[in-house]
Amino acid sequence: MARKARQRISYVLPLTNSARGHRLGVNGLAVDTDRSVLYSGGRDGVICAWDINFDLRDPFESAAQSSQAKPATTLRQQVQAHTHWINDIALVENNNALASASSDITVKVWRPAAQDPLPPQSIGVHTDYVKRIASPGGHAAWVASGGLDRTISLWDLNGGGQKLEIPVADEGAEINKEKGSVYALATTDSVLASGGPESIVRIWDPRTGKRITKFVGHTDNIRDILINKDGDKIMTASSDQTVKVWSMTAGRCMYTLTMHDASVWCLFSDDSDLSVFYSGDKSGLIAKTDVRRAQEMDEGLAVAVAQEHEGIGRLAIGGDYIWTATSSSSINRWADVDTTNAEVQLPQTYRMQRASVVTTRSSRYPSPPQAQEPTTNGSAHNQVSFKSVLRLSNTAPFPAPHSPRTDDASSVFSPSGVRKTSEAGIEADLHVLEPLRSLPDHTVEGQNGLIKHIILNDRRRILTLDTAGEVLMWDLVKCVPIKSFGKRHLEDVRPEVDTTESIAPWCAVNTRTGSVTCVLEPNTCFDAEMYADELEYADKMDFREDQRINLGKWVLRYLFSNVIDEEIKRDESYRRALLSERMQPVQRINPPTNIQLPDRNLNTWSADPRSPTMTRTPRPPNGGHITATTPGLSIGVVTPSTSHPMPNSPQTNRFSTQTDEGSRLEKTASHHSQPRSSHDRSGDYFSSLGSIQTSGANGISSPTEAQAKGPLTPGGTQQDDSAALQSPTDSDKDGQSKEGMFGKKFRLHFGMKKLGKKDQSDNKPAVVDEKAEDSDSKSTKTDEKVVEDNFLGVVQNIRHAYDEEISAGGDELETGVIPSLPNDTPVLKPPANTIILIQQERPEAGGVADLLEGTVGSIGTMTDLVEKVGPTWLGNVLLRNEPPVKDVAKLAFTLEPYQGLLPSVSSEGLNANRMLRARKVLAYVAERVEPQSEHIQPDAMKPEEYLELYCQGQLLSPTITLASIKAYIWRSSSDMVLVYKANGRKEIKHAPNTTRSHELSSSRDSTASGQESGWSGRS
């Protein structure tokens, strides 16, 4: 049987500033030109929708229009879509939805324009980081995704799950495990292309998952892929600094473009034939390539549009603007360059050359400008500075100095092949690239996110460093920032605020999404405790001496406080309804007045001649007394009931007529063989089910067990016979020795009737019992009261306890919802916008999946979902104040008197709870070094006032714990040696020296109340 996936609770501390936007770098961009909306996905797991605030459907406006300043981009909507980096996004469903791929191994879809918008919904899960996502077009109902799990999956956008899985790594020796990842992905309806570290472009058929072909030619990681509309041209960008164009028809690389001098990270094109495309590289260069007027692709025009400050991860184009995503949380908007009729403006002494051979074929590169500029459609050509032109390939035309004294073959190189110094220097000047746009047109500002953290020794506080270099201290229990230290190094601040405490790890902390995220695992989150007298609490409360507070329970209690309040209300309503129902008998709707029977006698029963017909309910012939025909069987005793007079009958029968219909006799007898409880009401079976439903279940097989288990579920005796075959219980076997002859006879009788030709021999009674025990087996099923293995199961157990108490005749119900009280978990008020996540590990996927996402303020309205997906241990902690039971962590030590001045208290080693304070050790010593007074003296000195404890020659504070002594003073894995001595403030009357072993266990220390756990001698 598969192990149940472990569930955990995470909570995300809200940042101090209220400004919204990305906190970390942006990895995905998409533009909806129809609605003028920009979508971005970041490393903080957030998807933002931005209003561009101007129309994008009219690119390259007139000069007068373009000179006007455009309005700023504003945030429209944002959602915390993922719990890890978002690596890619894509518009789907005709731009009505957005699909996202994340390192939290999920693929999600967000529909922000829906009438009833929901949070992003998961449509698929990989087994490792999902790096890329691709859509075949707005009309499609699926998307493709790929990542580090070396598979490509096709997902149904409507939640239908995985449509197809393509195992990229199933190609044997062609690739190894490390190089099977998918870093680039593009698809159409009929062609899907992928690439990755293996430097191979693989082409698949998305309809069947079969590989069509593969292209080999790149020498480094493939970072991005484009496919034209017809699916016969594929463009790839690689870390080998090249862009390659592949022909599906020819099955080979047609062009290798080398306009970049750094790894090419991204491509973008909205042209159906990829005749105009954009590329961005690691150095931050944005290049635009236009080959619409070129006979050969490498004769097109490539210009440097802009230079970012760092590598460009994604590009998006809308109208006449370019948006760039980098490792910064801000998004820059750049004005595009119109290359429709662009010509390169060359100086007088320069001309276009194709390596050492001059080309004259391209009309894009004119001779030096003449007196009048050429026009196109009545307007001048767009002039592009030759300093912004990029060489498309090694053989592409490129501006070079021209000397009229030499032929074009020797204009750059001397006859000997050596470049002339003067001309080489001039050519070097040409390569000082000047992008056409020096500054962005607009910047969508991001926020400062957290990038580093240090957990302090008390494990309640952490220090964080953000992208602006500011250091901040946080309280993990209160979920708020405490203090800012300005722009400093973390290592410089830590010594100023750290303590010498040793607390068990209780939560895992990470800042990978730019915020503080705490993860609570059930096996560790209840390990850490703190002393109540160390609380910095505004409302001073009366705590027990040395009372400890469990940090995990404390935090959970107030993260889910609204859920607890809702459960208390529901519990109160349930108990009220149960007591109200208890006071009202259950009436059967439209009970029959009689039952039609076959025209025959049953045992000693015969039809009452006074009845209107001969097929009415039979009457006993002896005037009310029933004669048992089977030894030990007395139906009169088994079915006592008040009588109901028949029509035209002068007397009242003392017995109910409910036990005479064939198989119904067995069932009724089974129930009424049990003593009735004090609250049962006698009545006709057919007019009121109350007496049957509240009587003991499983009457034939195990009366005592039935009484203990409580009432039947209404209608439980009329279930299908197949219920008895599902799970035979041990009570069936026990019933054979307890039931008597009545049960045996009727069990065998009705078993044969139902089993037909099955084996009925005496050597297989269990088979007969299982099949025959129709009513009893089903009653057992009902009485077992199977509960859910989740948060709801805790609620069900509480309510089942109420039902049993009512069945036992109880008139009052005390609540079973008992959350921890303020003296156990002092009141906390975490911010209402603190995010709460219930997550589940996926052992088969190697990651976690989010089952619920809410906030402290909204979690109460999600109580039904919490009950459904919350773990059982969470329900026990919140509703029953019962954390999972674990062994107490103890530390070993020995006690020795200083220079033998005091008696020895033990010759054996001792161990105690790691959180035991030094003053408890001194109290233990004081009990054994001097006689104990029979009378309590109110002014007596405490042991820590006249005794001292040392370790490694260092005087210990009375409040230091054994764990802190071990970690910061003893600093060894061996047993600690603690030395005690008197400080002279009190005369100690020596008790007789003893070396016997003393037990130092204390049951109160192991309770959940937070008192000290026991310590004991070790031989």
Side-chain angles (χ1 to χ4, degrees):
M1 181 171 150
R3 178 178 66 89
K4 186 179 184 297
R6 188 169 58 187
Q7 291 173 291
R8 68 187 196 184
I9 310 299
S10 298
Y11 62 100
V12 184
L13 279 58
L15 295 175
T16 51
N17 52 5
S18 59
R20 302 203 298 167
H22 290 293
R23 300 182 297 272
L24 296 179
V26 179
N27 286 343
L29 291 175
V31 176
D32 181 359
T33 56
D34 295 332
R35 298 181 177 90
S36 293
V37 176
L38 169 69
Y39 294 96
S40 58
R43 300 177 184 179
D44 52 5
V46 171
I47 296 177
C48 294
W50 308 89
D51 277 321
I52 298 175
N53 295 321
F54 59 87
D55 194 353
L56 296 176
R57 290 172 292 186
D58 185 19
F60 302 114
E61 303 166 323
S62 64
Q65 292 175 316
S66 61
S67 62
Q68 299 175 358
K70 297 295 183 182
T73 299
T74 56
L75 182 64
R76 180 177 189 172
Q77 192 177 359
Q78 83 174 45
V79 62
Q80 185 73 44
H82 295 272
T83 56
H84 210 308
W85 286 18
I86 294 176
N87 296 315
D88 199 9
I89 60 175
L91 285 167
V92 295
E93 296 181 348
N94 295 315
N95 296 351
N96 291 318
L98 188 79
S100 57
S102 170
S103 292
D104 66 5
I105 73 174
T106 64
V107 177
K108 293 188 177 182
V109 170
W110 181 39
R111 295 178 173 85
Q115 293 182 351
D116 186 15
L118 297 173
Q121 304 296 306
S122 177
I123 60 172
V125 179
H126 281 255
T127 60
D128 208 334
Y129 293 177
V130 191
K131 299 295 290 184
R132 297 305 299 263
I133 193 165
S135 171
H139 62 282
W142 57 272
V143 291
S145 62
L148 303 188
D149 60 356
R150 301 176 295 281
T151 62
I152 300 170
S153 295
L154 274 57
W155 308 101
D156 185 4
L157 289 173
N158 297 315
Q162 189 179 66
K163 296 171 64 70
L164 182 68
E165 180 178 270
I166 303 174
V168 180
D170 285 350
E171 298 190 19
E174 292 186 6
I175 59 174
N176 56 37
K177 183 178 179 180
E178 290 73 19
K179 291 189 177 182
S181 303
V182 177
Y183 280 74
L185 190 66
T187 186
T188 65
D189 290 327
S190 57
V191 176
L192 185 148
S194 67
E198 75 274 20
S199 308
I200 299 174
V201 183
R202 289 182 168 81
I203 312 300
W204 316 85
D205 187 341
R207 296 163 295 189
T208 63
K210 295 182 179 180
R211 197 187 75 182
I212 299 174
T213 186
K214 67 177 181 179
F215 297 131
V216 179
H218 281 294
T219 60
D220 207 337
N221 190 6
I222 297 173
R223 304 299 295 264
D224 210 350
I225 297 178
L226 297 177
I227 304 176
N228 71 340
K229 183 177 180 180
D230 296 334
D232 59 357
K233 182 190 296 183
I234 295 176
M235 185 177 295
T236 57
S238 172
S239 294
D240 62 9
Q241 305 180 8
T242 67
V243 175
K244 289 183 179 290
V245 181
W246 311 83
S247 171
M248 288 289 293
T249 305
R252 64 183 181 88
C253 178
M254 303 301 294
Y255 301 98
T256 299
L257 309 180
T258 58
M259 61 281 209
H260 289 277
D261 292 330
S263 298
V264 187
W265 283 0
C266 58
L267 295 170
F268 182 91
S269 178
D270 54 7
D271 186 86
S272 60
D273 198 42
L274 307 182
S275 296
V276 179
F277 66 92
Y278 301 79
S279 54
D281 65 23
K282 183 179 179 180
S283 67
L285 176 66
I286 306 170
K288 180 178 182 179
T289 304
D290 189 339
V291 298
R292 287 175 291 183
R293 293 169 56 194
Q295 297 181 13
E296 298 290 341
M297 196 167 204
D298 60 357
E299 294 177 359
L301 177 64
V303 295
V305 178
Q307 179 69 49
E308 270 283 7
H309 61 283
E310 52 191 324
I312 301 172
R314 292 291 184 274
L315 289 170
I317 313 300
D320 53 352
Y321 289 93
I322 306 170
W323 284 266
T324 55
T326 66
S327 60
S328 169
S329 59
S330 299
I331 303 170
N332 285 330
R333 184 181 76 199
W334 304 83
D336 199 357
V337 177
D338 187 4
T339 58
T340 304
N341 296 304
E343 291 185 351
V344 179
Q345 188 174 9
L346 296 175
Q348 188 71 29
T349 58
Y350 293 86
R351 62 186 302 176
M352 303 302 296
Q353 296 187 20
R354 183 188 292 270
S356 61
V357 179
V358 179
T359 179
T360 59
R361 185 167 48 181
S362 177
S363 62
R364 285 187 179 274
Y365 309 106
S367 300
Q370 305 297 321
Q372 184 177 0
E373 295 292 337
T375 60
T376 301
N377 296 329
S379 62
H381 286 275
N382 297 316
Q383 298 296 319
V384 177
S385 171
F386 73 96
K387 293 186 178 181
S388 301
V389 175
L390 299 170
R391 174 173 282 180
L392 269 177
S393 70
N394 294 331
T395 59
F398 192 72
H402 170 67
S403 174
R405 295 173 297 176
T406 59
D407 56 22
D408 43 333
S410 61
S411 59
V412 178
F413 297 94
S414 64
S416 61
V418 180
R419 183 177 299 187
K420 297 181 180 180
T421 305
S422 60
E423 292 175 350
I426 296 174
E427 187 177 5
D429 293 339
L430 288 174
H431 290 84
V432 179
L433 192 65
E434 294 181 2
L436 295 172
R437 305 288 183 249
S438 58
L439 294 173
D441 176 77
H442 174 68
T443 298
V444 180
E445 295 291 344
Q447 307 303 317
N448 293 321
L450 307 179
I451 56 176
K452 190 177 180 181
H453 72 278
I454 294 177
I455 302 177
L456 301 180
N457 290 333
D458 58 12
R459 296 195 178 274
R460 301 187 300 273
R461 301 173 301 154
I462 66 168
L463 293 174
T464 60
L465 178 71
D466 65 15
T467 51
E470 183 178 0
V471 176
L472 198 62
M473 184 163 65
W474 299 77
D475 189 317
L476 300 182
V477 175
K478 297 180 180 179
C479 305
V480 294
I482 302 173
K483 182 179 179 181
S484 173
F485 295 89
K487 295 185 177 181
R488 299 177 59 186
H489 291 290
L490 279 177
E491 292 74 13
D492 295 338
V493 177
R494 179 173 186 171
E496 301 176 8
V497 296
D498 213 353
T499 61
T500 56
E501 298 178 63
S502 180
I503 305 295
W506 64 281
C507 71
V509 179
N510 68 73
T511 54
R512 66 191 180 196
T513 59
S515 300
V516 177
T517 301
C518 301
V519 181
L520 303 179
E521 299 276 3
N523 57 340
T524 57
C525 71
F526 303 106
D527 290 351
E529 296 175 315
M530 69 172 294
Y531 281 91
D533 55 19
E534 297 174 352
L535 283 176
E536 297 177 0
Y537 199 63
D539 300 328
K540 295 298 182 182
M541 300 183 63
D542 293 332
F543 295 105
R544 299 181 301 275
E545 182 182 3
D546 287 336
Q547 178 180 338
R548 297 197 299 270
I549 298 173
N550 188 290
L551 296 182
K553 184 174 71 172
W554 190 16
V555 170
L556 289 171
R557 168 64 177 84
Y558 293 102
L559 287 178
F560 291 91
S561 59
N562 290 338
V563 172
I564 296 175
D565 294 342
E566 179 64 23
E567 290 290 0
I568 291 175
K569 294 178 183 178
R570 295 184 180 187
D571 179 77
E572 186 175 335
S573 299
Y574 183 84
R575 288 184 289 118
R576 189 184 299 114
L578 203 60
L579 290 173
S580 177
E581 183 181 355
R582 161 74 176 82
M583 303 303 296
Q584 299 178 0
V586 180
Q587 297 293 332
R588 180 173 178 179
I589 300 176
N590 299 324
T593 58
N594 50 52
I595 290 182
Q596 299 292 334
L597 293 176
D599 188 10
R600 63 191 179 95
N601 295 336
L602 297 174
N603 296 336
T604 61
W605 293 83
S606 63
D608 190 349
R610 293 168 296 181
S611 301
T613 65
M614 294 302 293
T615 57
R616 300 294 182 179
T617 305
R619 312 288 297 179
N622 55 2
H625 297 282
I626 304 173
T627 303
T629 59
T630 303
L633 173 62
S634 176
I635 299 179
V637 177
V638 173
T639 57
S641 177
T642 58
S643 62
H644 296 270
M646 297 294 291
N648 304 323
S649 176
Q651 64 177 352
T652 300
N653 195 333
R654 296 179 301 176
F655 301 101
S656 171
T657 60
Q658 62 186 9
T659 58
D660 55 336
E661 274 84 34
S663 64
R664 176 64 67 188
L665 174 63
E666 177 207 4
K667 297 180 182 180
T668 308
S670 299
H671 292 299
H672 284 266
S673 63
Q674 308 306 320
R676 291 178 180 268
S677 60
S678 60
H679 61 277
D680 285 344
R681 299 290 182 266
S682 299
D684 183 38
Y685 176 85
F686 302 107
S687 63
S688 175
L689 293 175
S691 61
I692 299 297
Q693 293 169 353
T694 57
S695 63
N698 207 6
I700 294 178
S701 63
S702 179
T704 56
E705 179 184 356
Q707 289 179 356
K709 288 186 177 180
L712 283 172
T713 302
T717 59
Q718 300 184 18
Q719 299 174 4
D720 189 84
D721 291 344
S722 62
L725 295 176
Q726 294 176 1
S727 179
T729 61
D730 294 337
S731 61
D732 301 334
K733 301 176 182 179
D734 297 337
Q736 296 178 8
S737 61
K738 298 178 182 179
E739 55 196 347
M741 294 301 295
F742 175 87
K744 291 182 179 179
K745 176 176 180 62
F746 280 89
R747 281 156 57 96
L748 290 174
H749 171 71
F750 291 107
M752 291 185 290
K753 179 178 179 180
K754 296 178 182 179
L755 287 174
K757 297 182 180 180
K758 290 189 177 292
D759 186 7
Q760 303 167 9
S761 60
D762 294 339
N763 60 346
K764 295 184 179 180
V767 176
V768 177
D769 290 344
E770 290 175 9
K771 295 294 291 184
E773 207 169 339
D774 176 47
S775 172
D776 304 325
S777 296
K778 294 164 193 167
S779 300
T780 303
K781 286 289 180 184
T782 304
D783 292 340
E784 283 179 358
K785 297 178 181 177
V786 178
V787 298
E788 302 289 337
D789 187 15
N790 53 19
F791 191 107
L792 180 60
V794 179
V795 178
Q796 291 174 335
N797 280 327
I798 293 173
R799 293 183 176 181
H800 290 163
Y802 295 155
D803 296 339
E804 293 178 359
E805 190 171 348
I806 286 292
S807 300
D811 295 329
E812 295 183 1
L813 293 177
E814 294 185 1
T815 179
V817 179
I818 313 172
S820 60
L821 300 177
N823 62 350
D824 186 21
T825 50
V827 177
L828 292 174
K829 295 181 180 179
N833 57 341
T834 302
I835 297 175
I836 301 174
L837 300 169
I838 298 181
Q839 300 171 312
Q840 178 173 294
E841 291 184 355
R842 294 184 179 269
E844 75 285 355
V848 296
D850 297 337
L851 304 180
L852 176 146
E853 179 179 347
T855 62
V856 170
S858 67
I859 197 69
T861 62
M862 307 170 71
T863 301
D864 290 336
L865 185 57
V866 172
E867 289 181 346
K868 180 179 178 181
V869 304
T872 303
W873 63 265
L874 178 64
N876 285 325
V877 170
L878 299 183
L879 304 184
R880 304 291 297 167
N881 191 23
E882 296 176 355
V885 178
K886 289 188 65 175
D887 293 336
V888 177
K890 295 187 177 183
L891 293 177
F893 63 96
T894 58
L895 286 174
E896 297 179 358
Y898 176 72
Q899 296 182 354
L901 298 178
L902 292 177
S904 175
V905 298
S906 176
S907 61
E908 301 173 350
L910 305 170
N911 58 52
N913 189 317
R914 66 188 309 275
M915 292 298 294
L916 192 76
R917 280 178 163 174
R919 64 185 179 195
K920 287 290 186 180
V921 179
L922 292 175
Y924 172 81
V925 172
E927 291 176 357
R928 286 155 177 79
V929 299
E930 63 177 346
Q932 299 299 309
S933 174
E934 297 181 357
H935 304 286
I936 300 177
Q937 300 178 0
D939 57 345
M941 298 179 66
K942 296 180 179 180
E944 60 264 29
E945 295 176 343
Y946 62 89
L947 291 175
E948 294 177 349
L949 195 64
Y950 291 81
C951 180
Q952 301 280 49
Q954 181 176 337
L955 177 64
L956 303 179
S957 168
T959 58
I960 193 172
T961 64
L962 293 179
S964 297
I965 298 172
K966 181 88 169 181
Y968 301 106
I969 300 176
W970 185 251
R971 295 182 179 180
S972 173
S973 59
S974 59
D975 293 356
M976 293 181 291
V977 177
L978 305 181
V979 178
Y980 55 91
K981 62 173 291 189
N983 58 14
R985 296 183 60 186
K986 176 184 176 181
E987 181 182 359
I988 299 178
K989 299 178 181 179
H990 291 187
N993 193 355
T994 177
T995 59
R996 65 183 179 87
S997 173
H998 300 280
E999 175 145 356
L1000 297 153
S1001 60
S1002 175
S1003 60
R1004 61 179 180 175
D1005 297 333
S1006 59
T1007 64
S1009 64
Q1011 298 181 11
E1012 306 294 346
S1013 68
W1015 38 315
S1016 57
R1018 299 181 298 109
S1019 57

